[in-house]
Amino acid sequence: MTEAAATGTLEQALAHARRLLERDPGLAAEQLGEILQVAPDHPSALQLLAAARSRQGDPSAALAILVPLARAWPDSAEVQFDLGQALDHCGRGQEAIAALRRAVALDPNFPQAWRVLADGLTAAGEHEAADAAYVSHVRHAAHDPQLMAAAVALAGNRIPEAEALLRAQLRQAPTDVAAIRMFAELAARLDRNEDALHLLERCLELAPGFREARRNYALVLHRSNRSEQALAEIERLLAADPEDAGSRVLKAAVLCRTGDYAQAIGIYDALLAQHPDNPKLWVSQGHALKTAGHTGRAVAAYRRSLELEPSFGEVWWSLANLKTFRFEAGELAAMRGQLARADLAEDDRLHLEFAIGKALEDTGEYEPSFHHYARGNAIRRAQLNYSADDTSARVRYIREHYTREFFAARAGAGSPAPDPIFVVGLPRAGSTLLEQILSSHSQVEGTMELPEITSITRLLRQQGDAGEAMPYHGALAAQGAEALRALGERYLAHTRIQRKTSAPLFIDKMPNNFMHLGLIQLILPNAKIIDARRHPMACGFSAFKQHFARGQGFSYDLTDIGRYYRDYVALMAHFDDVLPGRIHRVMYERMVEDTEGEVRRLLDYCGLPFEPGCLRFFDNPRPVRTASSEQVRQPIYREGMDHWRHYAAWLEPLASALGPVLASYPDVPEGEQRLDTDRL
């Protein structure tokens, strides 16, 4: 046999031994023993044999092989790495650290050697050095093929593949902070925010200096509506690097969530002075300016963003969404030009469809306007998994289970605080107007659409039996009086950051909370609940032509809207029946026709004396975050009430889905007032 052939045979045998090592280390050891009889002192065979002994649970045998091998090959980072692991398994921690330090000195691009060194330093109590080693592990993780394969899968949104790779990596290396951070990112993409937070907390426990993990942690806290905690993490990042643009952008976003718009705008101003050609920064500044009532500056910011990126559909829609803004002819032509592009991204296309629909509506071109709205809605509807049947089933479940007896059995539970005023209903039904009126009273503070009730439902869903049809409701029903009180106190604590004044009452106008009135009643029985209702055709079409940032999946199809409105009416009728007098209803049309009378009735329900400032709500300078922000800064006008009739020719699916609810408005059809027990 030639020397080349012998070498080839030896390499094949070693490759076979490596494969055996993964599934049968004992058999691998036998194979390697045979190889070493033919090629004594072969370094690769000795290294593999040491690995086989370790996997057989015999680190002393592995060490007996590796100590002389390391003396023979002192410049091999891999041998030093294996020696360090074997020493550690034999309880010789300081010697292990020394070997691992030699490994990373020989090859600084050895991510797993940095990780194992960090583990050893942690065990030795050298936390600062361990933190630095973990950070080096992250810095060199690009050299780990397993991690890179997971990163590529994650970037391509191949979630199952990425999850399998990361699970395998973490089984092998539970302290791989780079893998833990990637797994947290995967969990966040799947809306498993609690899992993401726990993973990132573990990551930062191991590596406090892992800046990207801390920024991810702050971001997930922000998305989980834990603004105070998010700001604390961001301040830690900025203390180390005050010029960190990513952390400053995130801080501005969190401040907008907490209603601190002046600070947020100041951050955006400073960032734009440094990065004037960043279109996304301009649009973020525009959003903050718009909410704070600086409409002129907002328009200028949006237009600057479009100068930099003319196809930026979100910005065109942001201009349209000002409601009082009117596009110039040249701007309409520019939008049409962008929409005609074959290479336009889908997200830009759907925003442009809505924006052009609004531009044509303003010029009275209702038919082409409707068709643009319809195309924008069709794009968005195809992106969502909304099911009208699921909504109907959820409403039916609530009506079956939240009975008078259910509430009577839990009377006296919950927090007694009267602070919140919940304004519920469908979007575009006038809830922002009611908030603006109420917040013009000296004893009431307007906040915004607060997500805390939704956060509590997620918490309950996690506590519930996953096998149940409605785990959140099952978990809520199982709560005792003290637990319900604690949930009410949690709501008050988590929303306190939104309260900027000493007013005793505050408004939470998340419209979708009508689905959670049972929860509100149990945890905050003294809170006020106001139902904002508007003519179903006016409300429905207004929702159809509005592209919501998130959370209104029903609003992109006329039939879905009609069914949703009908379910809403049925559910509110149910709560009127089981909690008589608990909810105060305001019909938008009556508010327009008799503003003072409706305002007085509203204040009476809230236990508040009449104040003339409530009739001049349009003078209130408070930030307004919703699509109605510009409209509520003007006096009430009735022209908008019947505007939907311009589109009546194309709204038959909405009217048909509404059925008797449309014919009976403002009354409730007899069939919707009580649950039809014959169909149970």
Side-chain angles (χ1 to χ4, degrees):
M1 181 183 296
T2 67
E3 184 179 344
T7 301
T9 302
L10 180 61
E11 290 304 321
Q12 289 175 357
L14 286 168
H16 180 57
R18 285 191 189 92
R19 290 192 295 272
L20 285 174
L21 189 62
E22 296 299 320
R23 63 178 187 271
D24 192 337
L27 195 56
E30 290 180 21
Q31 171 84 17
L32 289 160
E34 294 175 8
I35 292 171
L36 287 165
Q37 286 180 359
V38 176
D41 301 324
H42 191 287
S44 294
L46 287 169
Q47 196 174 353
L48 286 170
L49 181 59
R53 296 304 183 211
S54 288
R55 295 194 185 194
Q56 288 178 296
D58 191 353
S60 295
L63 197 57
I65 298 167
L66 288 165
V67 169
L69 186 61
R71 281 197 297 266
W73 297 85
D75 295 332
S76 171
E78 289 191 2
V79 171
Q80 294 294 334
F81 174 58
D82 290 350
L83 175 62
Q85 289 185 295
L87 286 164
D88 183 61
H89 292 154
C90 290
R92 295 160 64 176
Q94 288 302 318
E95 293 174 81
I97 289 170
L100 291 163
R101 280 183 164 144
R102 286 194 296 272
V104 296
L106 289 163
D107 182 4
N109 297 325
F110 197 159
Q112 294 310 326
W114 282 113
R115 178 188 62 78
V116 178
L117 173 59
D119 291 348
L121 291 166
T122 299
E126 297 182 48
H127 298 293
E128 188 173 335
D131 183 16
Y134 279 125
V135 171
S136 292
H137 159 63
V138 173
R139 187 180 303 121
H140 299 293
H143 298 280
D144 186 317
Q146 181 88 352
L147 277 179
M148 285 304 96
V152 169
L154 197 57
N157 209 35
R158 301 192 302 276
I159 299 299
E161 179 186 345
E163 183 167 6
L165 288 166
L166 289 168
R167 285 190 185 280
Q169 180 77 355
L170 289 168
R171 277 196 298 271
Q172 178 185 339
T175 57
D176 188 329
V177 289
I180 295 171
R181 189 198 70 79
M182 289 169 63
F183 209 177
E185 181 182 341
L186 185 149
R189 287 198 198 181
L190 296 174
D191 203 27
R192 301 198 313 244
N193 284 348
E194 287 300 318
D195 291 344
L197 289 172
H198 292 319
L199 287 163
L200 290 165
E201 285 160 4
R202 173 57 176 158
C203 200
L204 292 168
E205 178 187 356
L206 291 167
F210 189 176
R211 291 180 57 79
E212 284 304 314
R214 192 168 299 283
R215 191 180 293 114
N216 287 158
Y217 186 46
L219 178 60
V220 180
L221 285 167
H222 171 51
R223 290 175 177 169
S224 303
N225 308 312
R226 303 183 190 180
S227 300
E228 282 185 282
Q229 291 172 267
L231 285 171
E233 296 301 324
I234 295 167
E235 291 303 335
R236 289 186 65 172
L237 288 164
L238 290 174
D241 182 5
E243 295 304 310
D244 177 6
S247 297
R248 291 159 71 196
V249 168
L250 182 54
K251 181 177 180 178
V254 178
L255 289 170
C256 286
R257 173 74 62 81
T258 61
D260 297 297
Y261 288 99
Q263 287 186 60
I265 291 167
I267 292 172
Y268 286 130
D269 287 344
L271 284 164
L272 284 165
Q274 296 173 301
H275 308 281
D277 296 330
N278 186 317
K280 291 185 177 178
L281 271 180
W282 282 108
V283 75
S284 294
Q285 187 203 43
H287 292 338
L289 288 165
K290 170 223 176 188
T291 305
H294 306 302
T295 307
R297 286 188 64 196
V299 170
Y302 291 144
R303 283 182 164 147
R304 176 59 183 143
S305 180
L306 289 170
E307 288 173 11
L308 295 165
E309 191 173 332
S311 64
F312 202 160
E314 180 190 341
V315 189
W316 288 111
W317 169 244
S318 297
L319 285 167
N321 202 30
L322 289 169
K323 306 307 180 189
T324 56
F325 177 84
R326 297 294 178 264
F327 287 107
E328 298 171 359
E331 291 172 320
L332 177 56
M335 285 192 287
R336 283 174 160 158
Q338 293 298 326
L339 192 61
R341 287 174 49 176
D343 63 343
L344 190 67
E346 184 179 66
D347 190 60
D348 291 322
R349 187 171 299 280
L350 84 87
H351 280 100
L352 277 163
E353 293 284 12
F354 278 99
I356 294 172
K358 175 61 165 60
L360 293 172
E361 178 180 353
D362 290 338
T363 59
E365 299 174 71
Y366 299 117
E367 183 171 1
S369 165
F370 177 81
H371 293 312
H372 280 287
Y373 283 139
R375 284 194 290 269
N377 275 286
I379 294 170
R380 184 63 178 139
R381 182 67 180 86
Q383 297 172 345
L384 301 172
N385 294 318
Y386 176 75
S387 167
D389 288 341
D390 287 350
T391 297
S392 296
R394 187 158 64 251
V395 167
R396 187 168 193 81
Y397 181 96
I398 294 169
R399 295 175 75 194
E400 289 172 8
H401 290 83
Y402 288 77
T403 62
R404 289 192 182 206
E405 294 75 19
F406 176 90
F407 289 115
R410 294 160 177 81
S415 168
D419 304 29
I421 301 173
F422 290 93
V423 180
V424 303
L426 266 62
R428 311 298 296 148
S431 59
T432 305
L433 174 62
L434 296 184
E435 182 188 34
Q436 191 77 346
I437 290 168
L438 282 169
S439 65
S440 299
H441 195 284
S442 62
Q443 296 183 47
V444 182
E445 181 173 4
T447 54
M448 57 185 70
E449 296 181 354
L450 303 180
E452 182 56 27
I453 289 294
T454 302
S455 294
I456 293 173
T457 69
R458 288 198 187 104
L459 176 70
L460 290 167
R461 193 174 294 113
Q462 291 167 358
Q463 295 176 5
D465 183 349
E468 287 186 23
M470 303 283 172
Y472 141 49
H473 294 292
L476 178 59
Q479 303 293 308
E482 285 305 311
L484 292 172
R485 183 188 181 100
L487 287 174
E489 295 298 332
R490 170 197 159 118
Y491 172 88
L492 295 168
H494 284 204
T495 55
R496 192 158 287 120
I497 192 171
Q498 304 286 347
R499 301 175 71 174
K500 314 298 181 187
T501 74
S502 60
L505 305 179
F506 72 100
I507 303 165
D508 179 343
K509 66 163 293 289
M510 180 66 80
N512 309 69
N513 280 341
F514 79 85
M515 281 284 192
H516 309 301
L517 293 185
L519 170 63
I520 291 171
Q521 172 64 20
L522 292 179
I523 69 172
L524 292 160
N526 293 320
K528 297 291 188 282
I529 302 171
I530 299 162
D531 175 23
R533 190 167 299 184
R534 184 181 177 192
H535 188 283
M537 294 298 286
C539 185
F541 177 62
S542 187
F544 185 72
K545 66 179 184 171
Q546 177 69 43
H547 174 50
F548 297 96
R550 59 187 175 274
Q552 308 297 351
F554 73 92
S555 67
Y556 298 99
D557 178 89
L558 290 170
T559 298
D560 286 347
I561 294 171
R563 289 187 60 182
Y564 194 86
Y565 191 105
R566 189 168 175 174
D567 281 332
Y568 148 72
V569 168
L571 187 58
M572 297 306 294
H574 169 76
F575 281 113
D576 286 342
D577 181 42
V578 300
L579 296 171
R582 181 76 177 84
I583 300 161
H584 178 76
R585 185 158 296 112
V586 179
M587 299 296 187
Y588 178 78
E589 296 78 18
R590 291 174 184 164
M591 178 63 77
V592 172
E593 297 294 350
D594 180 18
T595 303
E596 183 172 344
E598 286 298 315
V599 168
R600 287 182 178 277
R601 283 186 282 275
L602 177 63
L603 295 175
D604 283 346
Y605 165 76
C606 294
L608 296 168
F610 176 76
E611 290 183 0
C614 294
L615 298 179
R616 297 196 59 80
F617 58 87
F618 43 85
D619 291 332
N620 189 336
R622 58 175 285 271
V624 182
R625 199 171 188 176
T626 68
S628 305
S629 59
E630 301 309 301
Q631 293 165 312
V632 298
R633 294 186 174 111
Q634 301 175 349
I636 288 179
Y637 60 99
R638 76 171 325 280
E639 289 77 8
M641 286 200 301
D642 295 325
H643 186 72
W644 67 269
R645 296 186 186 279
H646 294 298
Y647 293 86
W650 307 285
L651 299 181
E652 191 282 329
L654 172 60
S656 179
L658 287 166
V661 167
L662 174 58
S664 299
Y665 185 83
D667 297 324
V668 177
E670 184 63 33
E672 305 292 340
Q673 291 177 347
R674 289 182 179 274
L675 194 62
D676 186 351
T677 54
D678 294 336
R679 291 184 290 163
L680 296 182

